[in-house]
Amino acid sequence: MSRTLTYWQAIAEGTVQAMEADPSILVAGQNVDDHKGSYGTTRPAFERFGARRVVDTPNSENAVAGICIGAADQGLRPLVVHTRADFMFLAMDAMINLASKWRYMYGDKGGVPVVMRGVVGRGWGQGATHSQSLHATFGHFPGLYVAAPASPADAKGLLAAALQADTPVVLMENRSLYPIEGEVPEELTPVPFGVGRLARHGTDVTVVAASLMVHEAERAADLLARQGVSVEVVDVRSIRPLDEDLICESVARTGRVVVADTSWARYGFSAEVAAVIAERIPGELRAPVRRITPPDCPAPVSWPLEEAFHPSAAKIAEACLDLVGSDGITVPVLTGVDAGFSGPY
Amino acid sequence: MPIPNTTEDPVAHPAALLREMVRIRCVEEELADFYRDEQEMRTPVHFSVGQEAAAVGVCAALRENDLVYTGHRSHAAYLAKGGDLTGMVAELYGKETGCSNGRGGSVHLTDRSVGFAGSAAILGEMISVATGAAWALAQQGSSQVVVTFFGDGASEEGVFHESLNFAAVHRVPVIYVCENNAYSISSPLSARQPANSPGTGITERARAYGITAERLDGNDVALVHEATRRATAHCRAGLGPYVLELDTYRWREHVGPGFDTGIDRPEPEVEQWLERCPVRRGTAALQASAPDAQEPTAQEPTAEELVARWDAEFRDEARRAVAAAKAAPYPTADRLTDGAYGRPAVAN
């Protein structure tokens, strides 16, 4: 059975169901218990389980990450929530130097299954330090699973998988996805890490994306379908492990690929996908790989600069048209997925 | 001279404390020689020679299921908690039989069977992990306490302050043991902390969080032991965290087997601390505590004779552990990536 929920409702429901099923799970983060409850995602868990299992923490990202690793080492399953993903830089020592390496460097005797959620901002002038998506940053290090779900069902399913995993997990959630609706199973059904999905079938060009960019790619595909160009959209769902087979099978069919990402091109997710294709199926490409990413500068605040900064459906569509050589078609102006949002964020 | 054990927490006889200090001293001195002469232990080592009273005094006051997490200078705490010597030495040699199967080295030791949860190299991070472990155990109704060892240098990390703050708020049963050996690699405390101003020391900063804290002579094993017994009683009574700042001194270089620290340490300072050798003081204390201290008889060995006997015994034990480590197999390259991820293994 499934019914329609928003992305944030799916996370909230998954959290409550996982905590009901496993009494060792606790939620930790700044203001997870307040009236907003991490954009609604932790509030139902607080109402159901109270302050003992939904813990409002001090503003100490570094220690809280380490504390949750210690708690995981002694039998609990902490779910750490950062409503601004940029603050996860302060937790990186614990996540990278300890959590990701724990099992390996102590001789494979057990791990520390801590789960960390980070909410990525976009628009409304959030600017340089509230708009960064760290999926590729965390995805660089062996020993962590990293996922960036695009749909409400996957937001719930990957959270469920994370809270059952034997490996530490980082989940990146784009804030712009929170109001998006979709079919969500009522049960707590884990979505496996490392298995992507075809969000849309097409024949002319593949767009590989994660998180918010999956929706922008689908909007681009809608537009181009009306122009006679068939776009396939691969939603990788998890960044590490990465479903290389799904990517390569699609690109081998279409011969053209655009990689769209909310984070920068250099050493990023788009670079990794391009490398996988170059290593595994170089002969299948009929045109060079294209990347649609933010330009090489921090995120600005001023509205017109912001519009120019963020990768969009229109930019993806233009890249697809360029690859298929459809010179005569022009892309109309498209509003962003998050159009209509009003502050304060 | 038995001391009645009136609680579940262990009370160590002065002879037992001294014997354990001698064991750690002998093991580390032997390892340092092999390390220097053979160049076969390919892992950065941080010896605790001269600082044995801290690990021994603290760990002798813990129950076996109490947990210890440490920073990089961890051999002494590992051994004092009861960690397997052959596993530790094999780890230093990078062997499959090592306590971390040769994947961790000197700064990532573990022996879960005796409550030595782990050591880690990045300064201060285990302070937070120990805090979280104690927090989790308390939530699960356990009476276990958790101890973390770190140095004066780690007290400068933000995570030290963040962890103490959290532990104070949540009354976490964790004992923070700061081995203040006055130097961070080559940097003296005075260059790093305003320790000479009233109210600014490590202990006083802990007290500012409302945490019970004691500063004491960290080279007096009996004092350390007694203070730890106060700390464990405090934690088990649900009164929250406890800080012990133990003044001590590093005899050798920061990392490696050498005596040349490369630091221009004042000669009187060095001599004064060598005089305060914890083993020597433990020997004198044991001799003084004997009922016939004034006139040792032929039947009863003196404390010095005991130490000499133990010295031979433990150096032999260390050499046997080295021989076993050398004879043990290396991990094979076909298992290089094993253990990076949990089960079920996910190919990537």
Side-chain angles (χ1 to χ4, degrees), chain B residues 127-340:
Chain B
I127 298 173
S128 60
V129 174
T131 305
W135 183 50
L137 289 168
Q139 286 185 53
Q140 294 168 87
S142 169
S143 62
Q144 288 160 273
V145 303
V146 179
V147 173
T148 181
F149 290 89
F150 54 93
D152 47 295
S155 78
E156 291 147 22
E157 299 283 357
V159 72
F160 166 78
H161 297 274
E162 294 184 8
S163 298
L164 263 63
N165 179 62
F166 184 95
V169 170
H170 290 276
R171 297 168 83 86
V172 177
V174 56
I175 303 171
Y176 300 103
V177 180
C178 177
E179 292 180 74
N180 185 344
N181 67 12
Y183 288 87
S184 177
I185 306 184
S186 58
S187 170
L189 191 64
S190 59
R192 297 176 285 117
Q193 301 188 20
N196 293 326
S197 308
T200 61
I202 295 166
T203 295
E204 289 153 306
R205 274 177 269 155
R207 287 180 184 143
Y209 292 107
I211 296 175
T212 306
E214 296 187 48
R215 181 173 189 175
L216 56 146
D217 182 346
N219 280 13
D220 184 328
V221 72
L223 277 185
V224 173
H225 187 55
E226 279 309 305
T228 309
R229 285 174 45 76
R230 287 191 290 278
T232 56
H234 177 95
C235 285
R236 288 197 225 283
L239 299 174
Y242 208 95
V243 167
L244 296 173
E245 182 183 357
L246 309 179
D247 286 304
T248 185
Y249 203 71
R250 200 182 74 223
W251 285 15
R252 302 206 180 198
E253 56 190 333
H254 160 66
V255 54
F259 289 98
D260 180 6
T261 60
I263 317 169
D264 190 18
R265 299 201 282 200
E267 198 60 35
E269 176 187 290
V270 176
E271 283 172 12
Q272 180 230 340
W273 278 102
L274 291 176
E275 279 297 310
R276 293 171 66 183
C277 167
V279 172
R280 188 187 300 180
R281 291 170 68 191
T283 309
L286 179 64
Q287 192 60 45
S289 70
D292 51 357
Q294 305 307 314
E295 295 176 38
T297 65
Q299 290 80 16
E300 290 291 320
T302 64
E304 282 192 13
E305 287 165 346
L306 278 174
V307 168
R309 188 182 301 169
W310 293 331
D311 192 280
E313 176 189 332
F314 293 137
R315 287 186 195 280
D316 184 56
E317 185 190 11
R319 289 178 200 132
R320 276 185 281 116
V322 166
K326 288 181 178 179
Y330 280 110
T332 51
D334 62 311
R335 294 187 53 208
L336 174 63
T337 61
D338 287 5

